[in-house]
Amino acid sequence: TIQADLCDNLDIQFHDSPSSKNVPLRVRDTNSGPTTTLFWGQDSDDRIYHAGVSRLRVRTFRDTVLELETTADYVEDGAKARGNASAEECQFVTSILNGKFATERVLTDSETKGLKQGSRPMTERELNVLERKKNQIEQALDERLKDIVKVKAPNGNEVETLKDSSADDEPIEEVFASRTQRDIDGIVSSIDEQKAKGNEAFTSGEYAQAVLFYTLALDRAADLPDKPDVDEKLEGRKSDPDLKPLYPRHVILSNRSACFLKLGHHEKALKDGSDASTLEPTYVKGVFRKGLALHAMGNYREAIDVLAAAQKIEPKNKQIKQALTFAEVRMTQEIRKRME
């Protein structure tokens, strides 16, 4: 599996490359049953994931001869901003289907309706296949259960039976805005999973990939029933200090802000840092990263105010103190230039 993000004119070539599984494939002949290796593309897990990639070219060669070729471009393939994800963060997958290359959009967790195929991201085509299989299984079970619950009299006629009301008794669950606690727990678990992947990618220095995972986590958080309250707070229309969100979105926003700072996307870093500090004003990392983004954009006066606020939260934090000193130095230098 290959992951490519935010690049242009990428050319990927497979020259007699084995499949990622490298499973021996038996070939019958008159000899003692020789084996050959599965080539790349012959297994369903041989995939290229890409987001924000322009003019991608993929080719496979067998014995130096070009076998298959395709191109992809996130704009031409219809990438659109969805939820918290920009068009550049919309993920696609290119693979070989029925002997031909195909590029498909990867669905978000909310679009898959809770259905999964292991840990692998799912496309609309795969979701449809999975839903068909699920429906077939449910129909088969219904047919079998019909025969099991039928009661017949000695003459062969079916007898109407009264269903035991106790069979319908189910555990009463807390309901929150049309979602049960079980639903909420499932969403939170999914958010934690994407956030953990983002943390792992960030630690490995794969900042663009980390942005993708954090964005998926925020998209999943949008399915929580407290979203209207969170949106109102972000828009400045609600300042209830007792508002307790169902998930600490400010942590994910702060983490994504750090990724954008590493990637040089300072305006996006500022937006996430600002949103994080709005949702939780005492979360020092959100305030700090907002200040760093302002500093990187050359807004030293604003950066000093924000970094000073961060220092009040954690007076002994050396990183904040150093960043504040740098901002003050830059501000002084800028004032001197204006006076020359």
Side-chain angles (χ1 to χ4, degrees):
T1 301
I2 296 175
Q3 177 72 51
D5 299 302
L6 303 174
C7 52
D8 189 16
N9 282 322
L10 179 61
D11 188 0
I12 301 176
Q13 301 179 21
F14 297 95
H15 292 264
D16 296 317
S17 302
S19 166
S20 59
K21 286 189 176 180
N22 199 16
V23 179
L25 179 67
R26 293 226 168 245
V27 178
R28 295 181 58 187
D29 62 10
T30 57
N31 297 321
S32 58
T35 62
T36 185
T37 301
L38 283 177
F39 291 101
W40 190 92
Q42 293 180 323
D43 186 86
S44 60
D45 286 334
D46 295 332
R47 295 175 157 216
I48 301 171
Y49 292 99
H50 44 99
V53 179
S54 302
R55 289 170 285 189
L56 168 66
R57 186 182 185 188
V58 185
R59 291 176 285 174
T60 62
F61 294 82
R62 191 73 58 80
D63 296 326
T64 72
V65 177
L66 177 64
E67 185 178 47
L68 293 173
E69 180 178 10
T70 191
T71 58
D73 186 288
Y74 80 99
V75 175
E76 295 177 1
D77 291 330
K80 296 179 180 178
R82 299 174 188 272
N84 289 284
S86 64
E88 291 86 353
E89 294 162 345
C90 179
Q91 185 163 203
F92 293 89
V93 58
T94 295
S95 59
I96 296 177
L97 300 174
N98 301 320
K100 296 181 180 179
F101 270 116
T103 295
E104 305 169 278
R105 184 177 68 84
V106 173
L107 300 179
T108 63
D109 284 347
S110 58
E111 290 176 310
T112 58
K113 308 170 188 176
L115 294 175
K116 291 186 177 182
Q117 51 176 9
S119 60
R120 191 175 74 184
M122 196 182 306
T123 65
E124 184 175 2
R125 172 185 56 81
E126 292 169 327
L127 176 63
N128 292 335
V129 171
L130 204 60
E131 286 182 327
R132 282 198 300 270
K133 288 182 179 178
K134 180 185 175 185
N135 292 334
Q136 289 171 357
I137 292 172
E138 289 176 348
Q139 289 173 5
L141 285 173
D142 287 342
E143 290 298 322
R144 293 192 66 181
L145 288 173
K146 284 179 183 177
D147 295 332
I148 294 173
V149 299
K150 286 179 182 177
V151 178
K152 295 186 178 181
N155 61 5
N157 294 328
E158 291 184 18
V159 178
E160 184 176 353
T161 59
L162 293 176
K163 199 174 180 182
D164 185 0
S165 62
S166 62
D168 290 332
D169 292 341
E170 295 181 357
I172 298 174
E173 295 181 300
E174 179 184 354
V175 177
F176 189 122
S178 79
R179 284 196 182 273
T180 65
Q181 187 61 48
R182 184 180 299 176
D183 293 334
I184 293 172
D185 290 343
I187 295 172
V188 168
S189 177
S190 179
I191 298 171
D192 282 336
E193 181 182 347
Q194 297 298 338
K195 176 174 170 283
K197 291 179 180 179
N199 292 345
E200 184 178 349
F202 183 88
T203 302
S204 301
E206 299 174 356
Y207 304 119
Q209 185 68 12
V211 165
L212 176 62
F213 286 127
Y214 290 139
T215 300
L216 291 173
L218 290 169
D219 281 342
R220 197 70 177 107
D223 293 332
L224 290 170
D226 65 344
K227 183 180 184 298
D229 291 332
V230 173
D231 288 344
E232 286 184 0
K233 189 169 185 178
L234 287 173
E235 293 167 6
R237 294 188 286 117
K238 195 162 190 172
S239 58
D240 183 1
D242 297 326
L243 175 64
K244 295 182 179 180
L246 295 171
Y247 195 91
R249 295 168 175 83
H250 61 277
V251 176
I252 303 175
L253 286 164
S254 176
N255 290 356
R256 194 171 68 170
S257 177
C259 294
F260 283 136
L261 283 169
K262 292 286 188 180
L263 293 168
H265 301 322
H266 302 138
E267 291 184 359
K268 292 181 178 180
L270 175 60
K271 176 66 166 59
D272 279 355
S274 298
D275 286 348
S277 57
T278 297
L279 292 177
E280 183 48 74
T282 62
Y283 187 63
V284 69
K285 289 183 179 180
V287 181
F288 180 49
R289 284 157 186 167
K290 176 182 177 181
L292 291 180
L294 287 166
H295 183 279
M297 295 169 67
N299 299 331
Y300 304 121
R301 180 68 271 167
E302 293 179 65
I304 290 171
D305 293 339
V306 174
L307 291 171
Q311 192 175 44
K312 285 183 179 179
I313 301 172
E314 284 192 9
K316 296 181 180 180
N317 190 308
K318 293 181 180 180
Q319 283 185 308
I320 296 174
K321 183 178 180 180
Q322 186 180 43
L324 181 57
T325 300
F326 285 158
E328 289 171 344
V329 169
R330 291 288 189 182
M331 183 67 182
T332 301
Q333 291 175 342
E334 190 175 79
I335 293 174
R336 287 176 179 173
K337 285 182 179 180
R338 292 175 183 175
M339 294 177 66
E340 290 178 355

